[in-house]
Amino acid sequence: MNSSSTQKLDIQKVATSRVGEVDFNNLTFGNTFTDHMFECDYKDGIWQNATIKPYGPLTISPAAKVFHYGQAVFEGMKAFKDDEKRVWLFRPVENFNRINKSSVRMAIPEFPKDIFFEALTTLVKMDKEWIQTGLGNSLYIRPFVIATQVGVSASPSTEYKFMILMSPAQAYYTGDVRVEIAEHYSRSANGGVGAAKAAGNYGAQFFPTNLAREKGFQQVIWTDANEHKLLEEAGTMNVFFRVNDTLITAPVSDRILDGVTRKSVLALAERDNLTIEVRPVLVAEIVEAAKNGSLKEIFGAGTAAVISPVSAFSYKGTVYELEKQQDGFASRFKKELMDIQYNRSEDPFGWRFEVA
């Protein structure tokens, strides 16, 4: 689809920053937003009116197609401030490529790379005071696209709005995570939109996740839609298994999101000469590994959560507790990733992207 654009970025600054009103020691993830946001409209076959403006509400028709047919995709990325107050992004090209891949799957026009990076870097520079130093502190960045054409006919929209919001963040999950392996509900199916970061993927997860939470679990590890025999991904994260000293994860497919953190973990594991298996993972083999003691770790990997160790999982009503690993893969990868993100170590992969 046409992704041509106008080039000028209109910048409208706030009169007074709200940053001084924020208690950065008591943040709820995704509830507080910075002074500015980016907005760009697709009309008449072209992306236009690229604007950075004060954060605030939108005026949109109740007949906008996003409300009726769910044409909406998003990304999650972060900016980090090192001890010298330099600001870095982590693998932003991956996020740009993926939002366009998601857009194509949802019949949304791709967004131009030049405007994306100009808007992203300008926005982060303008609101860099919202980024706190120290491990665990970051600026969560949410690019997204919604269908804005007015009309309830069941057809793709001809108008869209691309936006970027930013929110200061601390840890997404505190402590280890308890998960339930899905036996009935599925996140996605063959030929579906599981590989896209489509808004509806997450909306459909909320009900089964609520059921799991009623039983004391924070997340669901999803299984394949056909037989519920294969482990795929966990809620907001890709999932890894450590059996003895082998790191195992499912391959990406049209059912599984190609996570940036997932790719980074695999690259770190390969660099560290660990044994890696990217292959279909059977529920039965992980249950058996938990029973015989060879299952050492399960952990999730994602932008918001970074690395989240799993302390227990449930399957068919039985809970399997995992012994906490003092020097496990999860803690190792989290440290290695964060050292790169916060400019505390060398970056042999070229993942860091300096903004300011």
Side-chain angles (χ1 to χ4, degrees):
M1 297 182 73
N2 190 340
S3 62
S4 61
S5 66
T6 55
Q7 298 299 313
K8 186 176 179 181
L9 182 61
D10 180 26
I11 298 176
Q12 304 167 15
K13 294 184 178 180
V14 295
T16 306
S17 175
R18 293 177 284 106
V19 69
E21 304 169 11
V22 178
D23 181 358
F24 287 97
N25 295 316
N26 291 286
L27 292 170
T28 300
F29 184 86
N31 280 17
T32 302
F33 294 93
T34 66
D35 291 319
H36 299 92
M37 64 185 188
F38 171 69
E39 184 176 341
C40 188
D41 294 311
Y42 185 84
K43 293 181 180 179
D44 302 320
I46 193 169
W47 287 101
Q48 54 191 280
N49 302 324
T51 305
I52 290 177
K53 61 198 293 187
Y55 173 84
L58 300 175
T59 299
I60 188 169
S61 169
K65 289 201 172 187
V66 65
F67 300 132
H68 303 275
Y69 302 110
Q71 270 188 292
V73 298
F74 69 94
E75 266 303 317
M77 50 199 305
K78 284 181 177 179
F80 308 89
K81 186 175 281 185
D82 67 20
D83 294 336
E84 297 177 355
K85 299 192 175 180
R86 296 160 72 190
V87 177
W88 306 86
L89 296 170
F90 182 72
R91 306 191 75 177
V93 173
E94 296 287 343
N95 298 101
F96 168 76
N97 289 337
R98 192 170 63 183
I99 198 169
N100 274 344
K101 180 180 177 182
S102 298
S103 292
V104 168
R105 182 60 181 85
M106 296 299 291
I108 296 170
E110 296 174 74
F111 197 71
K113 187 174 184 178
D114 57 343
I115 298 184
F116 178 85
F117 277 93
E118 183 184 0
L120 176 63
T121 56
T122 303
L123 193 60
V124 172
K125 287 176 184 177
M126 288 173 65
D127 285 349
K128 66 181 180 180
E129 296 307 314
W130 289 77
I131 314 173
Q132 302 298 290
T133 57
L135 288 177
N137 295 318
S138 64
L139 186 68
Y140 183 77
I141 303 169
R142 170 56 60 90
F144 66 100
V145 194
I146 58 173
T148 54
Q149 182 191 358
V150 174
V152 295
S153 60
S155 59
S157 178
T158 60
E159 298 180 359
Y160 299 88
K161 190 177 291 290
F162 188 107
M163 299 190 69
I164 303 176
L165 309 178
M166 304 195 303
S167 176
Q170 295 175 305
Y172 190 77
Y173 295 118
T174 55
D176 294 352
V177 177
R178 297 171 68 85
V179 301
E180 181 176 53
I181 293 177
E183 300 172 47
H184 174 70
Y185 296 101
S186 298
R187 176 185 175 274
S188 61
N190 291 337
V193 296
K197 279 187 80 71
N201 288 351
Y202 296 78
Q205 292 183 33
F206 294 156
F207 175 67
T209 302
N210 283 346
L211 296 180
R213 285 176 177 166
E214 290 172 4
K215 295 182 257 183
F217 302 96
Q218 288 81 37
Q219 284 290 343
V220 175
I221 296 183
W222 303 104
T223 50
D224 67 288
N226 291 335
E227 299 179 289
H228 298 286
K229 291 182 177 180
L230 296 173
L231 293 159
E232 299 203 321
E233 64 179 73
T236 58
M237 305 176 288
N238 294 109
V239 64
F240 287 85
F241 307 90
R242 176 188 171 191
V243 176
N244 292 318
D245 284 327
T246 299
L247 183 68
I248 306 170
T249 194
V252 295
S253 65
D254 56 9
R255 302 190 310 272
I256 298 177
L257 189 70
D258 189 9
V260 178
T261 309
R262 172 190 178 276
K263 283 194 258 195
S264 304
V265 166
L266 289 172
L268 290 169
E270 184 175 358
R271 181 197 67 178
D272 296 344
N273 295 315
L274 299 178
T275 302
I276 306 165
E277 294 181 4
V278 179
R279 60 169 175 79
V281 184
L282 291 167
V283 176
E285 69 173 298
I286 296 303
V287 169
E288 178 57 30
K291 289 178 179 178
N292 65 32
S294 60
L295 179 63
K296 305 302 181 184
E297 295 178 79
I298 302 174
F299 59 90
T303 297
V306 189
I307 302 291
S308 288
V310 170
S311 61
F313 73 91
S314 171
Y315 182 63
K316 292 189 179 297
T318 300
V319 176
Y320 300 87
E321 302 283 346
L322 299 179
E323 185 177 341
K324 190 171 183 65
Q325 302 289 318
Q326 295 303 318
D327 298 306
F329 285 3
S331 58
R332 171 183 184 167
F333 292 134
K334 185 170 185 176
K335 182 180 186 306
E336 290 178 349
L337 274 174
M338 293 179 75
D339 281 349
I340 292 174
Q341 290 169 338
Y342 288 88
N343 194 29
R344 294 189 170 193
S345 70
E346 294 298 318
D347 177 16
F349 305 99
W351 289 342
R352 279 197 299 262
F353 181 99
E354 187 168 8
V355 176

